[in-house]
């Protein structure tokens, strides 16, 4: 058995360097294109199933791959980015400024 692991496509917060954590930020146009390109690159991979988190950026990426390959896509509870708590929504520089300790 082979397992392929992929990160979700780009979001606007990725571009700005903002920590997403479990904040549900959708893919931007580049991210949607990346998801389609990932699907094309996996066309002959033999993948039989896609598993993804509930976060839309991951789910849309995974579903795009699954749809292109004609295979199922399943959301797995507990499979998502970590909760960054109060850091979510801030850049690393802002976090260091707000919480220097």
């Amino acid at each position: 058995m082979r397992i392929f692991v992929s990160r979700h496509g780009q979001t606007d917060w990725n571009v700005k360097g903002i920590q997403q954590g479990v904040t549900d930020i959708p893919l931007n146009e580049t991210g949607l294109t990346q998801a389609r390109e990932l699907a094309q690159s996996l066309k002959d991979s033999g993948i039989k199933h896609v598993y993804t988190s509930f976060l839309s950026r991951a789910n849309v990426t995974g579903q795009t791959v699954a749809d292109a390959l004609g295979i199922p896509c399943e959301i797995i509870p507990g499979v998502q980015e970590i909760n960054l708590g109060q850091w979510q929504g801030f850049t690393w520089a802002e976090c260091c400024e707000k919480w220097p300790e």
Side-chain angles (χ1 to χ4, degrees):
M1 174 174 35
R2 293 186 333 175
I3 297 174
F4 294 81
V5 177
S6 176
R7 190 170 190 270
H8 58 76
Q10 184 184 77
T11 70
D12 288 340
W13 280 22
N14 291 138
V15 174
K16 296 174 183 174
I18 298 173
Q19 305 310 304
Q20 298 175 119
V22 294
T23 306
D24 199 7
I25 306 301
L27 296 177
N28 60 23
E29 286 302 315
T30 298
L32 293 168
T33 298
Q34 290 169 335
R36 289 188 292 271
E37 289 172 350
L38 175 63
Q40 284 304 307
S41 73
L42 295 171
K43 188 174 63 172
D44 297 319
S45 65
I47 292 174
K48 295 180 175 39
H49 205 105
V50 172
Y51 299 96
T52 182
S53 87
F54 68 90
L55 295 169
S56 64
R57 60 188 177 265
N59 188 269
V60 169
T61 301
Q63 191 65 60
T64 300
V65 170
D67 289 348
L69 301 181
I71 59 177
C73 181
E74 182 180 349
I75 294 173
I76 302 292
V79 175
Q80 76 266 345
E81 290 188 49
I82 62 170
N83 186 333
L84 296 174
Q86 60 189 0
W87 292 0
Q88 293 176 164
F90 295 100
T91 65
W92 281 120
E94 290 169 331
C95 288
C96 291
E97 185 178 303
K98 287 173 116 9
W99 302 283
E101 64 284 351

